[in-house]
Amino acid sequence: MDEKQQKGVASELIAEYYLTKAGYFVYTKKSVQSPVDLVAINPDTGEILLVDVKTASIRMTGGQKGSTIRRVLSEEQKKLGVNFLYVYENKMCELVSFDGDTANSKILNEVLY
């Protein structure tokens, strides 16, 4: 497993941890080519989150230096209502949901130590 794959696996585990700590039941993918990495269900509200986990990449140069590089949902992900969950180097997680073309961002928890 190369370094990029290791970071991806670690990000998925961190995302699972945060969602579990937030009270969700978390289910992982079984297919390599799945449009979602995690399915999270809130047993109290019935909310279902379809999540594509991304290791956050930060711009190193230019006018937007220091900002997160945002990914774009595939057409299939848009149809399904998939959310992105960015995992940062400091292990902070940011959940980004979409309402049409509008992105809504929410920090899930405080930074892990």
Side-chain angles (χ1 to χ4, degrees), residues 13-83:
L13 292 170
I14 291 166
E16 283 183 67
Y17 172 80
Y18 272 116
L19 290 166
T20 300
K21 290 290 282 183
Y24 289 86
F25 295 128
V26 180
Y27 302 89
T28 59
K29 67 182 176 190
K30 300 296 179 204
S31 172
V32 175
Q33 294 299 320
S34 174
V36 298
D37 294 319
L38 306 172
V39 175
I41 302 171
N42 184 316
D44 297 326
T45 66
E47 175 189 29
I48 299 171
L49 291 176
L50 302 179
V51 178
D52 186 6
V53 178
K54 299 292 183 192
T55 302
S57 297
I58 307 300
R59 287 184 176 81
M60 303 302 284
T61 61
Q64 294 181 328
K65 182 179 179 178
S67 65
T68 303
I69 297 171
R70 297 296 185 187
R71 307 297 181 208
V72 178
L73 293 171
S74 69
E75 289 304 314
E76 183 177 18
Q77 288 175 318
K78 287 178 186 176
K79 287 180 200 170
L80 294 171
V82 173
N83 303 276

Side-chain angles (χ1 to χ4, degrees), residues 17-18 21-22 91-93 106-112:
Y17 172 80
Y18 272 116
K21 290 290 282 183
K91 298 182 182 59
M92 179 188 79
C93 289
K106 177 173 124 179
I107 303 302
L108 289 185
N109 217 332
E110 295 177 342
V111 177
L112 291 174

